[in-house]
Amino acid sequence: MGYRGHYKKFDLERWFSQLLENTAIMDMASSVDDAYDRLATLMAGAAGVDSCIIFQQEVDNRFKAVARHAVAEGFDRAVLTGEAAESLKKKMPAITGAKELGLPDTEANRRTRFLCMPILFHKRPASIAILFSPGKSVEFPADTIERLSIIAVHGAHTIDELSYVDELKRRRDELRRLYEIQRRITQTIDFEKATESIVENAPYITKLKYCMIYLLDPAGRNIVSVKAPTEVERKFGKLTFRLDELVASRIAMDERKPLFIEDAPAYPNISQRIVRMLGFKSAIVLPLIAREKVLGVMWLYSTDRKVTFSEDDRRSAMALADQAAIVIDNARIFKELEESYEKLKDLDKMKMDFFTLISHELRNPLAVIRGFTELLYDGMLGPLNDRQKEKLQRIMENVDKMADMVGKMSEVSIVETKRYPLERVPVSLSDMVGGLVREMSFLFKNKRITLKVDIPQSLPLVEVDREKMEQVLLNLLNNALKYTPEGGEVSIAARDQVNEIVVSVHDTGIGIPRKDLDKIFSGFYHAGYKLSYEYKGPGLGLAVSRRIVEGHGGRIWAESEEGKGSTFYFTIPKSPIIKR
Ligand code: ADP
């Protein structure tokens, strides 16, 4: 008894140390493949046989070898039948012949006994280890099988863990590549360059060597452009396709789903003319969708070999198409914006030309009308009665208004065409504003509007065209007066802010709708319908002011709340010479 006990204890120790050693060997595996190789060697050692093959399930009972310990050749694939198949199904070991494993029917194989050891995984298809000594009918005692099961369980565990690590690594690589391509293709907003960059960089993301992009016209009825890699264009010239010819593209776009075509020459829904012409072997067709609109389609294809698409390949291709769609959409929007901007600039130029023409052509006739009316009014051409005089007075007033408007128009056009001379002199803002306020104070008093002035004497002098700058202040003060009801308040202030002086004219008037705030500076614009109730000017004062301010290198803008009042601001850059 004692002796047996002692012997068993000794055996157990050996058994544990062996187990630990095995564990250590498995734990050192660096990849799934390496782990399979180690497992095959360990199992062969534990069973005391020469060879071990580990087969992994492909489909149903078909298996492919993933590790082969001391197997010279052959045995790449196996088809499990009979007891071998049962063994896997029941998750139990079994001893079989070569036939049940679908192995070559050789003399040696016929003599060999094979032990089938299922290896079960948590998340991947099952594997099976086949242990044998070629040409020999080896015995497999129960305790050997028991040990092998333990090794198999631990091996499977290690392989599972490693496959997670592999998966993580693959994902990380994919993300890196996606990030890199995103970086490359988003560097440009130029439409041509953006598509070119996608086409040239796509092969870094997928296994497919070429990328082509077909884009639809905005109505989605025609292919308007085809972008192919330079290499392809060099070979085939500029590619053009008709939409009705592109079978696979249309399916992808209509169904808004990618097509994964592993065998293009055998694929029914594809134009075989194009397959032959470009030499497609495998292809992925991806609809390009941005803001829910199909912009076109992206082709990724190989010409040198057939490709089997893994989950990763599919995911990367789809991620690439998503990014490409956004980049193309943005580039298109940008291009459209640029075009609209050009058009607007043209329109603006036309407006200015019109201003120049009209102001020039009206000036003389107006002067003539004014002159003759004055002659009539003064009685130089014969005596007039009071009614006639009164009407002539009205004519003169209106001619003056018109002349004023023509003057402003010519001013706007002159500034715009850059023939706008500024005679800059050092000016004290507080003196300039003081003078204006004195001249205008009676107007404010008449309307019972309080006028406050806050221009510190300490402000540095500004270098401006005095007359022009006075015109800006006058326009702003006039507007404040005009658009502020009786009893309100207007204040003018100036502040020293680092490199510029900011002047503000605040009123408690009717205000300006937010949407009009930018437009009032562009000329001929009246904010909101309510504002016309009192006075409707030509809508040029602010346009002229803007041009004068900008001519001085400053900015002008307004803030306002409807019904509460407005504040107009403009800046005058400090002169480098007289900065204090
Ligand atoms: P005008 O006063 O001759 O119409 P402006 O160019 O000076 O032309 O002003 C353009 C428009 O901006 C005005 O018609 C008016 O709608 C709005 N506006 C300008 N100043 C004020 C203000 N202080 N308060 C309210 N609305 C203003």
Side-chain angles (χ1 to χ4, degrees), residues 479-480 482-483 507 510-512 520 525-527 531 535 537-543 566 568:
N479 280 348
K482 204 155 68 179
Y483 297 109
D507 65 54
I510 55 177
I512 302 161
I520 52 174
Y525 197 88
H526 298 279
L531 303 181
Y535 175 94
L540 278 172
L542 289 177
S566 319
F568 283 77

Side-chain angles (χ1 to χ4, degrees), residues 44-58:
V49 294
D50 298 338
S51 307
C52 175
I53 314 175
I54 300 178
F55 287 109
Q56 194 182 43
Q57 198 166 28
E58 284 188 314

